[in-house]
PDB file of all heavy atoms in Angstrom:
ATOM      1  N   GLU J  26       6.893  25.762 -31.036  1.00  0.00           N
ATOM      2  CA  GLU J  26       7.235  26.726 -32.070  1.00  0.00           C
ATOM      3  C   GLU J  26       6.284  26.488 -33.248  1.00  0.00           C
ATOM      4  O   GLU J  26       6.316  25.401 -33.890  1.00  0.00           O
ATOM      5  CB  GLU J  26       8.695  26.524 -32.488  1.00  0.00           C
ATOM      6  CG  GLU J  26       9.333  27.840 -32.932  1.00  0.00           C
ATOM      7  CD  GLU J  26      10.842  27.780 -32.912  1.00  0.00           C
ATOM      8  OE1 GLU J  26      11.378  27.759 -31.783  1.00  0.00           O
ATOM      9  OE2 GLU J  26      11.425  27.762 -33.977  1.00  0.00           O
ATOM     10  N   ARG J  57       5.209  29.884 -29.517  1.00  0.00           N
ATOM     11  CA  ARG J  57       6.230  30.824 -29.997  1.00  0.00           C
ATOM     12  C   ARG J  57       6.153  30.956 -31.516  1.00  0.00           C
ATOM     13  O   ARG J  57       6.124  29.964 -32.253  1.00  0.00           O
ATOM     14  CB  ARG J  57       7.631  30.345 -29.608  1.00  0.00           C
ATOM     15  CG  ARG J  57       8.719  31.269 -30.092  1.00  0.00           C
ATOM     16  CD  ARG J  57      10.101  30.800 -29.697  1.00  0.00           C
ATOM     17  NE  ARG J  57      10.267  30.801 -28.270  1.00  0.00           N
ATOM     18  CZ  ARG J  57      11.204  30.084 -27.617  1.00  0.00           C
ATOM     19  NH1 ARG J  57      11.994  29.302 -28.291  1.00  0.00           N
ATOM     20  NH2 ARG J  57      11.301  30.153 -26.323  1.00  0.00           N
ATOM     21  N   VAL J  59       8.073  32.390 -34.697  1.00  0.00           N
ATOM     22  CA  VAL J  59       9.336  32.883 -35.196  1.00  0.00           C
ATOM     23  C   VAL J  59       9.147  33.190 -36.668  1.00  0.00           C
ATOM     24  O   VAL J  59       8.667  32.345 -37.425  1.00  0.00           O
ATOM     25  CB  VAL J  59      10.452  31.794 -34.977  1.00  0.00           C
ATOM     26  CG1 VAL J  59      11.785  32.321 -35.584  1.00  0.00           C
ATOM     27  CG2 VAL J  59      10.614  31.500 -33.496  1.00  0.00           C
ATOM     28  N   ASN J  91       9.991  37.166 -33.013  1.00  0.00           N
ATOM     29  CA  ASN J  91      10.192  36.027 -32.097  1.00  0.00           C
ATOM     30  C   ASN J  91       9.347  36.233 -30.879  1.00  0.00           C
ATOM     31  O   ASN J  91       9.795  36.775 -29.863  1.00  0.00           O
ATOM     32  CB  ASN J  91      11.688  35.919 -31.742  1.00  0.00           C
ATOM     33  CG  ASN J  91      11.979  34.697 -30.895  1.00  0.00           C
ATOM     34  OD1 ASN J  91      11.097  33.969 -30.488  1.00  0.00           O
ATOM     35  ND2 ASN J  91      13.274  34.460 -30.603  1.00  0.00           N
ATOM     36  N   SER J  93       6.929  34.978 -27.897  1.00  0.00           N
ATOM     37  CA  SER J  93       6.501  33.862 -27.043  1.00  0.00           C
ATOM     38  C   SER J  93       5.243  34.260 -26.330  1.00  0.00           C
ATOM     39  O   SER J  93       5.212  35.230 -25.582  1.00  0.00           O
ATOM     40  CB  SER J  93       7.603  33.539 -26.045  1.00  0.00           C
ATOM     41  OG  SER J  93       8.710  32.994 -26.688  1.00  0.00           O
TER      42      SER J  93
HETATM   43  C1  LIG B   3      13.536  33.277 -29.702  1.00  0.00           C
HETATM   44  O1  LIG B   3      13.570  33.662 -28.339  1.00  0.00           O
HETATM   45  C2  LIG B   3      13.884  32.620 -27.447  1.00  0.00           C
HETATM   46  C3  LIG B   3      13.783  33.159 -26.022  1.00  0.00           C
HETATM   47  O2  LIG B   3      12.547  33.756 -25.834  1.00  0.00           O
HETATM   48  C4  LIG B   3      15.292  32.087 -27.762  1.00  0.00           C
HETATM   49  O3  LIG B   3      15.559  31.021 -26.913  1.00  0.00           O
HETATM   50  C5  LIG B   3      15.332  31.622 -29.196  1.00  0.00           C
HETATM   51  O4  LIG B   3      16.638  31.227 -29.556  1.00  0.00           O
HETATM   52  C6  LIG B   3      14.867  32.716 -30.152  1.00  0.00           C
HETATM   53  N1  LIG B   3      14.811  32.203 -31.488  1.00  0.00           N
HETATM   54  C7  LIG B   3      15.246  32.853 -32.544  1.00  0.00           C
HETATM   55  C8  LIG B   3      15.088  32.216 -33.877  1.00  0.00           C
HETATM   56  O5  LIG B   3      15.707  34.009 -32.460  1.00  0.00           O
END
Side-chain angles (χ1 to χ4, degrees):
E26 211 162 289
R57 179 181 295 160
V59 178
N91 185 355
S93 291

